[in-house]
Amino acid sequence: MDFVKKQAVLAWKFYREQLLRLHIGCMVAFLAVSALSAVVFGAFAQQAQAIVESFMEEVQQSGLLDENGSISLPALFGNNLQATLTATVMGFVPFVFLPVFSLALNSVVIGAVLALSGTMGVQTWNMIFLGLLPHGIFEIPAMMLGVAMGLYLCRQMNGTLRKRPGTPRIEAVLPHLCRVTVFGVVPLLAAAAVIETFVTPLLLGLVM
């Protein structure tokens, strides 16, 4: 138990000192791009519809739904964790800051959903609100934390390749990122998966 507590303390210290501002920046960027996308897609409903339909097809083909059409908790958690870790691992590619594309992609999908909802009345807005917000308050920060770690990793890769003084070695950074993943990303995604699997269907049942 002391070992786990020590690792949690180290994870929080690293997050507070190295990732907090970057994480907040990613969250702000996500909300801003989502809002901008919603405005833009408001004038291009056909394109928004195509994006949402493509996203729904990916969900159906990803194995997230069981035979009864219900969300599979392990599959949902695994899918979200894989997406978040992918955003982080993208940081190993120097100079191009690939994790930004993960942020942009998720923002555009949310923007398309919001744009379509704006043309479908109050009940649809209620469905979107209840269907996205309860689990989104955990899932979005977790995924943006993955993006923030990817951007941090890319920045360190750049410093290493350019031999910038004071840049920590990548092998010294990785344990910190692993701790933040275990004590930050995983609990947030687990909470989001539980809510989306068990709570969200009940909430949607109230307005459908």
Side-chain angles (χ1 to χ4, degrees), residues 61-141:
Q61 296 173 2
S62 64
L64 297 182
L65 304 179
D66 59 23
E67 297 178 354
N68 300 322
S70 300
I71 296 176
S72 169
L73 176 59
L76 177 61
F77 173 76
N79 182 77
N80 289 339
L81 181 60
Q82 180 181 4
T84 304
L85 293 179
T86 298
T88 300
V89 172
M90 285 179 178
F92 277 109
V93 180
F95 305 121
V96 291
F97 293 98
L98 286 177
V100 170
F101 290 99
S102 177
L103 184 155
L105 177 61
N106 285 282
S107 300
V108 168
V109 172
I110 294 297
V113 171
L114 294 176
L116 290 180
S117 302
T119 65
M120 297 181 183
V122 175
Q123 184 177 12
T124 301
W125 269 106
N126 289 335
M127 292 175 60
I128 295 297
F129 180 81
L130 296 176
L132 292 179
L133 186 60
H135 73 272
I137 59 177
F138 296 98
E139 183 176 309
I140 293 174

Side-chain angles (χ1 to χ4, degrees), residues 9 22 33 41 44 46 50 59 71 119 129 148 152 170 176 190-192 208:
V9 169
L22 194 55
V33 175
F41 282 128
F44 300 95
Q46 186 174 359
V59 170
I71 296 176
T119 65
F129 180 81
Y152 174 84
I170 296 301
H176 294 294
M208 292 181 64

